């Protein structure tokens, strides 16, 4: 490994800046290059504490005409939604289970994963950094809006961002999933989404917000326009209709 930059600052100064000249970019499945930052707290010559954090350098945009663009290159996203559970194990997956999930997802040719609908294991985020998957990470704000649940959604979002800010694989923060099962006109629901959307932008200037919308929600619903990007969960050919209905619906929405 090569040391590309280092600084010594007073412990009372929590911030410092580094410039990586000609940075090697993290480029998805093609080249998931990672840097490592090591921070050491020293008194005289005694090491009191030490943290090592990996990160990646990349830039991106989501364009209505060109789609997802990674480091200036059009990078079509194709992938799956993943739940972190298994029969007879529940949510207590072992590292080998996470690795097997990712190996199977990679085998399909996928390059993106939506992590439904809660925080997933740090080990899984780390693997996604290493393997170059583009992630959507979200909080468990699902199906039915609860007026007394606002503080919990705010707490969950703060923790999701704070704990996972340095993962280059994460590109969007999901603020809710199919939340309009009982309708989209609830003013408290709308306000809750505005608060979460603003919180994401306040805490993280580098990523976009998104949410998954249930199929029957009208595209004119006010809450649909709150996040930077949206995704529709359609079940044509599953709960109703057939798969040929996807194209016409998307053409209309666009």
């Amino acid at each position: 490994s090569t040391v590309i930059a280092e600084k010594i600052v007073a412990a009372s100064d929590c911030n410092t800046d580094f410039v990586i000249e000609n940075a090697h970019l993290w480029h998805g499945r093609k080249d998931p290059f990672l840097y490592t930052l090591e921070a050491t707290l020293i008194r005289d010559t005694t090491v009191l504490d030490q943290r090592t954090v990996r990160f990646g350098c990349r830039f991106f945009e989501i364009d209505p005409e060109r789609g997802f663009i990674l480091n200036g290159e059009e990078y079509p996203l194709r992938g799956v939604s993943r739940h972190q559970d298994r029969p007879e194990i529940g949510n207590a997956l072992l590292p080998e289970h996470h690795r097997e999930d990712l190996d199977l997802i990679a085998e399909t040719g996928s390059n993106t994963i939506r992590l439904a609908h809660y925080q997933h294991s740090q080990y899984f985020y780390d693997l996604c950094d290493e393997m170059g998957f583009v992630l959507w990470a979200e909080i468990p704000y699902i199906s039915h809006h609860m007026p007394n649940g606002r503080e919990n959604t705010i707490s969950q979002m703060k923790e999701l961002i704070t704990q996972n800010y340095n993962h280059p694989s994460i590109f969007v923060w999901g603020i809710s999933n199919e939340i309009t099962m009982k309708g989209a006109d609830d003013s408290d629901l709308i306000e809750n989404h505005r608060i979460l959307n603003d919180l994401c932008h306040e805490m993280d200037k580098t990523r976009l917000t998104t949410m998954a919308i249930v199929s029957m929600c009208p595209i004119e619903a006010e809450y649909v326009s709150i996040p930077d990007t949206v995704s529709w969960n359609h079940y044509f050919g599953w709960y109703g209709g057939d798969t040929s209905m996807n194209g016409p619906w998307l053409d209309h929405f666009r």
Side-chain angles (χ1 to χ4, degrees):
S1 61
T2 303
V3 176
I4 57 174
E6 57 184 333
K7 285 184 183 179
I8 298 176
V9 297
S12 58
D13 182 4
C14 296
N15 298 306
T16 190
D17 295 320
F18 293 96
V19 175
I20 301 176
E21 300 289 350
N22 301 311
H24 187 153
L25 299 182
W26 185 96
H27 199 72
R29 297 284 289 142
K30 296 179 181 179
D31 186 12
F33 185 85
L34 295 170
Y35 288 95
T36 300
L37 173 69
E38 186 177 277
T40 306
L41 182 64
I42 301 173
R43 177 184 288 138
D44 299 324
T45 59
T46 304
V47 174
L48 303 179
D49 198 5
Q50 191 172 61
R51 286 293 304 276
T52 298
V53 178
R54 295 187 307 177
F55 66 96
C57 298
R58 80 287 189 281
F59 59 96
F60 77 103
E61 61 180 305
I62 298 177
D63 182 89
E65 299 298 329
R66 300 172 61 204
F68 184 78
I69 301 166
L70 178 61
N71 302 325
E73 176 185 303
E74 291 184 14
Y75 192 85
L77 297 179
R78 300 181 178 93
V80 301
S81 179
R82 185 243 188 186
H83 273 286
Q84 182 180 279
D85 54 23
R86 290 193 177 204
E88 301 179 5
I89 299 174
N91 214 261
L93 268 62
L94 297 172
E96 54 262 37
H97 300 132
H98 293 292
R99 170 70 71 174
E100 183 180 46
D101 278 2
L102 263 186
D103 287 343
L104 289 169
I105 292 169
E107 189 178 318
T108 69
S110 296
N111 61 7
T112 187
I113 307 171
R114 177 182 170 208
L115 300 182
H117 303 288
Y118 37 76
Q119 284 240 35
H120 287 231
S121 166
Q122 278 296 320
Y123 180 68
F124 194 81
Y125 294 121
D126 288 341
L127 289 180
C128 288
D129 291 341
E130 294 172 12
M131 295 177 69
F133 284 96
V134 170
L135 297 186
W136 160 340
E138 67 187 21
I139 60 171
Y141 181 25
I142 305 168
S143 302
H144 300 293
H145 170 72
M146 295 185 292
N148 60 353
R150 178 178 297 185
E151 290 309 313
N152 184 269
T153 66
I154 291 170
S155 172
Q156 296 253 15
M157 186 60 76
K158 286 180 177 177
E159 291 176 4
L160 181 71
I161 295 174
T162 301
Q163 293 173 26
N164 300 295
Y165 183 86
N166 290 315
H167 288 289
S169 53
I170 297 176
F171 285 78
V172 290
W173 301 118
I175 60 178
S176 71
N177 171 70
E178 299 190 341
I179 201 66
T180 58
M181 288 291 197
K182 292 184 177 178
D185 298 328
D186 184 339
S187 61
D188 194 72
L189 177 153
I190 293 169
E191 184 179 21
N192 204 147
H193 280 72
R194 293 195 189 282
I195 289 170
L196 291 174
N197 192 61
D198 291 344
L199 175 63
C200 290
H201 290 145
E202 179 185 331
M203 293 184 67
D204 185 356
K205 302 289 191 290
T206 71
R207 292 179 176 91
L208 300 178
T209 55
T210 192
M211 64 187 182
I213 304 168
V214 70
S215 189
M216 66 284 293
C217 180
I219 62 177
E220 300 84 7
E222 181 180 351
Y223 106 111
V224 169
S225 65
I226 293 173
D228 302 313
T229 63
V230 294
S231 176
W232 241 268
N233 285 354
H234 281 306
Y235 301 94
F236 300 137
W238 187 352
Y239 292 142
D242 60 75
T243 55
S244 68
M245 297 168 70
N246 281 299
W249 188 95
L250 288 166
D251 288 340
H252 173 63
F253 175 69
R254 188 172 182 276

